[in-house]
C-alpha cells in the first residue's frame, strides 16, 4: 500500500502528544516501505528521534544468529510504553510500608497521638533520617490518599474539624445612602438632571488642592470646583456656592 494513497482515517496527531497505537501501526507500515525517519516523523508530526526510539523500543533483541531477523511490532512498543508509564511520575516519600509510616500508625493507635505530635516528636528526637521524615501536612495528605496504615476513624479529631468559610467583612461605618439605591431611570441614561459627584485629590497626600467634580449622566456636562480639603464641610460649601451661582436654573 502506498502511503500517499492509503485509506486509514485517523484523527491528526498534535505535536507533543504521546504516540498512539494507530501511530505505531503507521510507523511500521511506513518503515516497511523504506521511508526514512524524517519522512515518517513529518507524516506523524513528531521528531525524527521519536521515531528512532519507538522503532528501537518495539523491536525485540535478537539473542542468536539463527532464525528470521527481528522487526518492529506495534503491540510490543505499546506494551513497553505502558510499563514505562507505570514507573513515571514523582515517587511518594511516605507509603504504608515505610518504617516511619508504621511507627506513626502505632503511636496513633496505642498512644492516641495526633499526626502533628508524631511528626514533631520524631523530628525533635531524630528517630528517623531526613529522607524518611515528612511534615505533618504530608502525613495528613497521605492519610486522605490511603497511603498510611490508618483510616480516618483512627484520627477522630480530623473528622470533627470543620472547614472555616471565608467571612465577608461588613462595613460598620455608614456614610449615608448607597449608590445602589438610585432609581433605575438613572441607569438607563434617558432623563436629564442626574449628576454624579466625586472628588479628586492631589498626589502629595492632601498638600495640593482638592477638586470637586460634577458630571451630568446624559449630556456629560462637566463642572469642576476647587475646594479647600476633602471633607463634608468643604463639599457642602461648594454646593451652596454652586446653587447661588445658578439660582433657579
Amino acid at each position: 500500500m502506498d502511503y500517499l494513497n492509503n485509506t486509514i482515517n485517523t484523527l491528526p496527531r498534535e505535536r507533543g502528544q504521546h504516540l498512539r497505537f494507530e501511530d505505531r501501526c503507521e510507523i511500521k507500515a511506513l518503515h516497511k516501505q523504506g521511508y526514512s525517519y524524517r519522512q515518517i516523523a513529518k507524516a506523524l508530526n513528531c521528531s525524527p528521534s521519536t521515531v528512532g526510539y519507538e522503532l528501537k523500543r518495539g523491536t525485540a533483541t535478537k539473542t542468536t544468529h539463527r532464525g528470521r531477523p527481528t522487526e518492529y511490532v506495534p503491540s510490543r512498543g505499546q506494551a513497553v510504553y505502558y510499563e514505562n508509564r507505570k514507573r513515571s511520575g514523582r515517587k511518594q516519600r511516605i507509603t504504608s510500608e515505610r518504617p516511619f509510616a508504621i511507627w506513626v500508625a502505632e503511636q496513633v493507635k496505642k498512644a492516641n497521638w495526633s499526626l502533628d505530635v508524631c511528626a514533631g516528636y520524631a523530628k525533635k528526637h531524630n528517630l528517623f533520617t531526613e529522607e524518611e521524615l515528612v511534615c505533618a501536612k504530608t502525613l495528613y495528605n497521605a492519610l486522605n490518599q490511603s497511603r498510611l496504615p490508618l483510616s480516618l476513624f483512627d484520627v477522630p479529631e480530623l473528622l470533627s474539624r470543620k472547614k472555616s468559610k471565608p467571612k465577608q467583612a461588613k462595613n460598620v461605618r455608614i456614610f449615608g445612602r448607597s449608590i445602589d439605591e438610585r432609581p433605575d431611570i438613572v441607569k438607563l441614561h434617558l432623563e436629564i438632571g442626574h449628576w454624579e459627584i466625586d472628588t479628586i485629590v492631589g498626589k502629595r497626600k492632601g498638600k495640593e488642592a482638592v477638586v470637586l467634580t460634577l458630571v451630568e449622566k446624559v449630556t456629560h456636562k462637566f463642572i469642576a470646583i476647587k475646594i479647600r480639603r476633602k471633607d463634608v464641610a468643604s463639599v457642602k460649601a461648594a454646593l451652596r456656592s454652586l446653587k447661588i451661582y445658578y439660582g433657579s436654573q
Side-chain angles (χ1 to χ4, degrees), residues 6-217:
N6 72 79
T7 58
I8 298 177
N9 185 15
T10 58
L11 294 175
R13 175 186 172 277
E14 295 184 4
R15 192 172 185 86
Q17 290 183 338
H18 291 194
L19 294 176
R20 303 165 296 184
F21 181 72
E22 52 266 29
D23 298 329
R24 292 179 167 86
C25 295
E26 195 169 355
I27 289 177
K28 179 180 180 180
L30 297 178
H31 186 60
K32 269 192 170 183
Q33 296 179 32
Y35 282 80
S36 65
Y37 288 2
R38 291 190 177 274
Q39 291 174 329
I40 299 174
K42 187 176 180 181
L44 294 177
N45 192 21
C46 66
S47 173
S49 58
T50 302
V51 178
Y53 291 144
E54 179 58 31
L55 289 173
K56 183 178 180 181
R57 187 184 301 118
T59 303
T61 304
K62 189 174 181 181
T63 57
T64 63
H65 63 281
R66 296 182 179 182
R68 60 183 180 180
T70 58
E71 62 178 4
Y72 172 77
V73 180
S75 58
R76 182 182 291 115
Q78 190 78 3
V80 175
Y81 165 75
Y82 284 141
E83 288 297 324
N84 293 339
R85 289 293 294 172
K86 291 179 182 179
R87 296 192 298 269
S88 64
R90 182 180 179 181
K91 295 183 179 180
Q92 301 293 343
R93 291 188 60 190
I94 185 71
T95 56
S96 57
E97 298 83 11
R98 297 289 181 90
F100 181 54
I102 297 174
W103 178 84
V104 169
E106 291 179 355
Q107 304 306 318
V108 171
K109 292 179 180 179
K110 296 180 180 179
N112 293 327
W113 284 9
S114 66
L115 299 184
D116 303 82
V117 174
C118 293
Y121 185 88
K123 183 178 181 180
K124 181 178 180 180
H125 296 83
N126 298 322
L127 300 181
F128 299 91
T129 61
E130 293 185 359
E131 290 76 15
E132 294 176 323
L133 284 174
V134 296
C135 64
K137 177 64 176 176
T138 304
L139 285 177
Y140 281 109
N141 292 339
L143 177 62
N144 294 326
Q145 297 170 4
S146 301
R147 291 189 285 107
L148 286 181
L150 292 169
S151 66
L152 292 176
F153 297 99
D154 295 325
V155 190
E157 71 272 7
L158 181 62
L159 297 175
S160 61
R161 294 177 183 175
K162 295 182 180 179
K163 293 184 179 180
S164 58
K165 296 181 180 180
K167 296 182 180 180
Q168 294 182 353
K170 295 183 179 180
N171 189 0
V172 295
R173 298 181 63 185
I174 301 176
F175 296 99
R177 296 178 62 187
S178 173
I179 194 173
D180 297 329
E181 299 180 12
R182 60 187 176 183
D184 295 334
I185 190 66
V186 180
K187 302 178 183 178
L188 298 177
H189 298 268
L190 298 176
E191 187 178 59
I192 299 177
H194 300 284
W195 294 76
E196 185 171 330
I197 304 176
D198 200 358
T199 53
I200 302 175
V201 186
K203 294 183 179 180
R204 294 193 299 175
K205 298 181 180 180
K207 294 182 180 180
E208 294 183 0
V210 182
V211 178
L212 178 70
T213 61
L214 298 91
V215 181
E216 207 283 321
K217 300 290 290 183

Side-chain angles (χ1 to χ4, degrees), residues 210-227:
V210 182
V211 178
L212 178 70
T213 61
L214 298 91
V215 181
E216 207 283 321
K217 300 290 290 183
V218 178
T219 61
H220 299 290
K221 180 177 176 59
F222 178 79
I223 299 176
I225 304 174
K226 183 179 179 181
I227 58 179

